[in-house]
Amino acid sequence: MSAYQRLEVTEVGEVTVVRFRNRRITEDIDIQELGSEMFSLVESDKREKLLLNFSAVEFLGSAALGKLITLDRKVKAQGGVLKLSNIGPNIYEVFAITRLNRFFDIKEDEADALAAF
Amino acid sequence: MLWPLFRQSMTDRWLWLYDRVIASDTKLARQVLDEMLAQLEAQHWQQRDIFAVHLATEEALVNAIHHGNGSDLRKSIHVVCRLDGERIRIEIGDEGRGFNPAALPDPTTSDHIHAPCGRGVMLMRAFMSRVEFNEQGNVVTMVKERERIPN
């Protein structure tokens, strides 16, 4: 049984692959819960290699970017690695404008990302 | 001042007019946003433009609710939208003391790139055609010019 309401979590070798159940990652309902679930992967489950696959995500705003930055800090604090993949063009523009496309390790698709761990 | 002139000349041409006061509640803001996006879909706006309006309006509403009104449900948000064939104009006001948008740090610099917040206004400016704040800084007016597909 999955402990995650907002995330789909699978294992591929040593890498934990995370997909999002929500098409829109917005402030109104899910952002705090989503943040808690992502952080627990690192803090409680001690997963060190994380890949966030955004293929299901059509929209995210700055609040979601904030959660990703905090997640990255937590992963690095444990000596882990975080990668992102399958980001569509609209959302990629959000990363590019904020220059977070350079801050995060973003790969085209899941296979590219898995090969880069 | 551009807006009074703009408003006067365009009065009869609005496809959709929307004027609503809501409590500082993100669920109510979601409803406002969904109504707005449904109008753009109905007018067959490009998905890229709809994404831009969605993002900028969400950022402005969240700023108004959390930063402007301090998430106080007794305080209101005033949303006015005008849609015509070429553009959407969105005005969002809160009851806060306002802020100085010119004083916001650049979130892309090495000093601020690690900060988990502070990107909303930058995204609003990047995705909309025009973004202006009133002098007090508690009303934002944003315009998105519709992208046309070349024939």
Side-chain angles (χ1 to χ4, degrees), chain A residues 28-44:
Chain A
D28 55 322
I29 41 167
D30 36 64
I31 195 78
Q32 297 307 332
E33 204 172 292
L34 181 73
S36 302
E37 290 191 4
M38 288 197 302
F39 301 159
S40 78
L41 287 167
V42 182
E43 292 174 326
S44 306

mmCIF file of all heavy atoms in Angstrom, chain A residues 28-44:
data_model
loop_
_atom_site.group_PDB
_atom_site.id
_atom_site.type_symbol
_atom_site.label_atom_id
_atom_site.label_comp_id
_atom_site.label_asym_id
_atom_site.label_seq_id
_atom_site.Cartn_x
_atom_site.Cartn_y
_atom_site.Cartn_z
ATOM 1 N N ASP A 28 -3.388 26.004 -3.859
ATOM 2 C CA ASP A 28 -4.669 25.911 -3.150
ATOM 3 C C ASP A 28 -4.881 24.619 -2.366
ATOM 4 O O ASP A 28 -5.437 24.636 -1.287
ATOM 5 C CB ASP A 28 -5.845 26.154 -4.104
ATOM 6 C CG ASP A 28 -5.816 25.225 -5.292
ATOM 7 O OD1 ASP A 28 -4.719 24.961 -5.790
ATOM 8 O OD2 ASP A 28 -6.879 24.765 -5.722
ATOM 9 N N ILE A 29 -4.471 23.478 -2.906
ATOM 10 C CA ILE A 29 -4.765 22.268 -2.156
ATOM 11 C C ILE A 29 -3.529 21.470 -1.775
ATOM 12 O O ILE A 29 -3.364 21.053 -0.641
ATOM 13 C CB ILE A 29 -5.721 21.323 -2.936
ATOM 14 C CG1 ILE A 29 -5.334 21.302 -4.408
ATOM 15 C CG2 ILE A 29 -7.164 21.703 -2.723
ATOM 16 C CD1 ILE A 29 -5.985 20.215 -5.195
ATOM 17 N N ASP A 30 -2.657 21.311 -2.740
ATOM 18 C CA ASP A 30 -1.732 20.203 -2.583
ATOM 19 C C ASP A 30 -0.309 20.548 -2.229
ATOM 20 O O ASP A 30 0.462 19.674 -1.916
ATOM 21 C CB ASP A 30 -1.738 19.366 -3.858
ATOM 22 C CG ASP A 30 -1.896 20.187 -5.106
ATOM 23 O OD1 ASP A 30 -1.014 20.981 -5.369
ATOM 24 O OD2 ASP A 30 -2.916 20.030 -5.791
ATOM 25 N N ILE A 31 0.034 21.814 -2.258
ATOM 26 C CA ILE A 31 1.469 22.110 -2.224
ATOM 27 C C ILE A 31 2.130 21.726 -0.894
ATOM 28 O O ILE A 31 3.236 21.189 -0.893
ATOM 29 C CB ILE A 31 1.737 23.593 -2.603
ATOM 30 C CG1 ILE A 31 3.204 23.795 -2.931
ATOM 31 C CG2 ILE A 31 1.309 24.564 -1.509
ATOM 32 C CD1 ILE A 31 3.571 23.307 -4.290
ATOM 33 N N GLN A 32 1.437 21.975 0.215
ATOM 34 C CA GLN A 32 2.045 21.640 1.508
ATOM 35 C C GLN A 32 2.175 20.120 1.672
ATOM 36 O O GLN A 32 3.199 19.604 2.122
ATOM 37 C CB GLN A 32 1.217 22.219 2.666
ATOM 38 C CG GLN A 32 1.132 23.731 2.669
ATOM 39 C CD GLN A 32 2.490 24.431 2.612
ATOM 40 O OE1 GLN A 32 3.502 23.905 3.059
ATOM 41 N NE2 GLN A 32 2.535 25.617 2.035
ATOM 42 N N GLU A 33 1.104 19.427 1.273
ATOM 43 C CA GLU A 33 1.098 17.975 1.382
ATOM 44 C C GLU A 33 2.162 17.356 0.466
ATOM 45 O O GLU A 33 2.877 16.431 0.854
ATOM 46 C CB GLU A 33 -0.289 17.476 0.980
ATOM 47 C CG GLU A 33 -0.653 16.136 1.557
ATOM 48 C CD GLU A 33 -2.103 15.830 1.254
ATOM 49 O OE1 GLU A 33 -2.976 16.521 1.812
ATOM 50 O OE2 GLU A 33 -2.357 14.930 0.444
ATOM 51 N N LEU A 34 2.224 17.916 -0.731
ATOM 52 C CA LEU A 34 3.213 17.427 -1.696
ATOM 53 C C LEU A 34 4.629 17.623 -1.154
ATOM 54 O O LEU A 34 5.472 16.718 -1.234
ATOM 55 C CB LEU A 34 3.055 18.184 -3.014
ATOM 56 C CG LEU A 34 3.990 17.767 -4.124
ATOM 57 C CD1 LEU A 34 3.573 16.428 -4.682
ATOM 58 C CD2 LEU A 34 4.010 18.798 -5.226
ATOM 59 N N GLY A 35 4.885 18.793 -0.591
ATOM 60 C CA GLY A 35 6.185 19.079 0.000
ATOM 61 C C GLY A 35 6.511 18.078 1.100
ATOM 62 O O GLY A 35 7.597 17.484 1.121
ATOM 63 N N SER A 36 5.559 17.836 1.988
ATOM 64 C CA SER A 36 5.794 16.904 3.101
ATOM 65 C C SER A 36 6.120 15.512 2.585
ATOM 66 O O SER A 36 7.015 14.832 3.111
ATOM 67 C CB SER A 36 4.547 16.813 3.984
ATOM 68 O OG SER A 36 4.218 18.066 4.465
ATOM 69 N N GLU A 37 5.384 15.083 1.558
ATOM 70 C CA GLU A 37 5.625 13.736 1.018
ATOM 71 C C GLU A 37 7.009 13.638 0.370
ATOM 72 O O GLU A 37 7.727 12.650 0.562
ATOM 73 C CB GLU A 37 4.531 13.357 0.021
ATOM 74 C CG GLU A 37 3.194 13.122 0.707
ATOM 75 C CD GLU A 37 2.152 12.479 -0.203
ATOM 76 O OE1 GLU A 37 2.469 12.147 -1.356
ATOM 77 O OE2 GLU A 37 1.008 12.318 0.261
ATOM 78 N N MET A 38 7.388 14.681 -0.374
ATOM 79 C CA MET A 38 8.711 14.648 -1.017
ATOM 80 C C MET A 38 9.811 14.667 0.044
ATOM 81 O O MET A 38 10.793 13.935 -0.062
ATOM 82 C CB MET A 38 8.876 15.843 -1.971
ATOM 83 C CG MET A 38 8.049 15.726 -3.231
ATOM 84 S SD MET A 38 8.574 16.850 -4.568
ATOM 85 C CE MET A 38 8.439 18.448 -3.784
ATOM 86 N N PHE A 39 9.630 15.495 1.066
ATOM 87 C CA PHE A 39 10.670 15.610 2.097
ATOM 88 C C PHE A 39 10.800 14.297 2.882
ATOM 89 O O PHE A 39 11.894 13.919 3.293
ATOM 90 C CB PHE A 39 10.374 16.766 3.059
ATOM 91 C CG PHE A 39 10.262 18.112 2.389
ATOM 92 C CD1 PHE A 39 9.586 19.161 2.999
ATOM 93 C CD2 PHE A 39 10.820 18.330 1.133
ATOM 94 C CE1 PHE A 39 9.474 20.393 2.368
ATOM 95 C CE2 PHE A 39 10.705 19.560 0.498
ATOM 96 C CZ PHE A 39 10.026 20.592 1.122
ATOM 97 N N SER A 40 9.680 13.610 3.079
ATOM 98 C CA SER A 40 9.741 12.362 3.857
ATOM 99 C C SER A 40 10.507 11.269 3.103
ATOM 100 O O SER A 40 11.082 10.378 3.717
ATOM 101 C CB SER A 40 8.337 11.892 4.253
ATOM 102 O OG SER A 40 7.709 11.283 3.164
ATOM 103 N N LEU A 41 10.523 11.353 1.781
ATOM 104 C CA LEU A 41 11.327 10.393 1.008
ATOM 105 C C LEU A 41 12.790 10.479 1.415
ATOM 106 O O LEU A 41 13.506 9.474 1.468
ATOM 107 C CB LEU A 41 11.232 10.709 -0.494
ATOM 108 C CG LEU A 41 9.925 10.370 -1.203
ATOM 109 C CD1 LEU A 41 9.902 11.026 -2.573
ATOM 110 C CD2 LEU A 41 9.765 8.865 -1.333
ATOM 111 N N VAL A 42 13.225 11.688 1.693
ATOM 112 C CA VAL A 42 14.626 11.917 2.052
ATOM 113 C C VAL A 42 14.831 11.766 3.556
ATOM 114 O O VAL A 42 15.744 11.065 3.998
ATOM 115 C CB VAL A 42 15.049 13.344 1.615
ATOM 116 C CG1 VAL A 42 16.520 13.586 1.927
ATOM 117 C CG2 VAL A 42 14.765 13.543 0.140
ATOM 118 N N GLU A 43 13.968 12.398 4.330
ATOM 119 C CA GLU A 43 14.204 12.487 5.778
ATOM 120 C C GLU A 43 13.816 11.205 6.525
ATOM 121 O O GLU A 43 14.503 10.796 7.448
ATOM 122 C CB GLU A 43 13.445 13.684 6.346
ATOM 123 C CG GLU A 43 14.033 14.996 5.841
ATOM 124 C CD GLU A 43 13.236 16.209 6.255
ATOM 125 O OE1 GLU A 43 11.991 16.103 6.353
ATOM 126 O OE2 GLU A 43 13.835 17.272 6.466
ATOM 127 N N SER A 44 12.701 10.588 6.131
ATOM 128 C CA SER A 44 12.264 9.371 6.826
ATOM 129 C C SER A 44 12.776 8.121 6.128
ATOM 130 O O SER A 44 13.326 7.221 6.747
ATOM 131 C CB SER A 44 10.737 9.304 6.886
ATOM 132 O OG SER A 44 10.227 10.473 7.457
#
